[in-house]
Amino acid sequence: MKERKEIFVLKRLLLWSTDSIPPVVTVTSLQSSPTSLSTLLFKISFSKLVTGPPQSIGFAGATQNGGTIQLVAGLEYQVSATPSSQEGPVTITAPINCAQDAFGNRV
């Protein structure tokens, strides 16, 4: 009796997704305006997860404290700044390409 060998081929369906939509960033003050506080806190929020803290954040009318931007929650970071003077606006900006998502889409 001849032995019969059967070969089973399993086909795998590979699914992956691509994403071409960049994250959107929003910067908001955590203080009411006007304020006389010596340290100001700002929240930097993203519309989707980014691969690390935002880079090259711009400060006008203030200097960044501590040099770090801290992760607060999955999509939110926080940064503190010291106003340059007791009067006048303080502006924090998140420039183009300050962060990217896992697919390489930059803000």
Side-chain angles (χ1 to χ4, degrees):
M1 181 182 218
K2 191 171 184 185
E3 188 175 315
R4 184 174 147 190
K5 294 183 181 180
E6 294 183 21
I7 299 174
F8 294 96
V9 176
L10 297 177
K11 293 183 179 180
R12 283 194 255 179
L13 178 60
L14 297 176
L15 297 176
W16 69 88
S17 64
T18 58
D19 177 2
S20 61
I21 300 171
V24 176
V25 62
T26 305
V27 179
T28 54
S29 174
L30 297 177
Q31 291 78 218
S32 59
S33 181
T35 183
S36 60
L37 295 173
S38 61
T39 299
L40 306 175
L41 293 175
F42 295 89
K43 179 173 69 172
I44 304 168
S45 303
F46 292 93
S47 60
K48 57 197 225 180
L49 287 175
V50 294
T51 58
Q55 304 296 313
S56 304
I57 298 299
F59 295 85
T63 55
Q64 181 178 350
N65 293 338
T68 60
I69 298 173
Q70 299 174 346
L71 178 64
V72 177
L75 301 174
E76 295 179 358
Y77 291 83
Q78 185 173 298
V79 63
S80 62
T82 301
S84 301
S85 67
Q86 290 186 347
E87 290 187 20
V90 172
T91 305
I92 307 297
T93 56
I96 294 175
N97 295 330
C98 71
Q100 70 180 19
D101 66 11
F103 291 96
N105 300 310
R106 295 186 170 275
V107 170

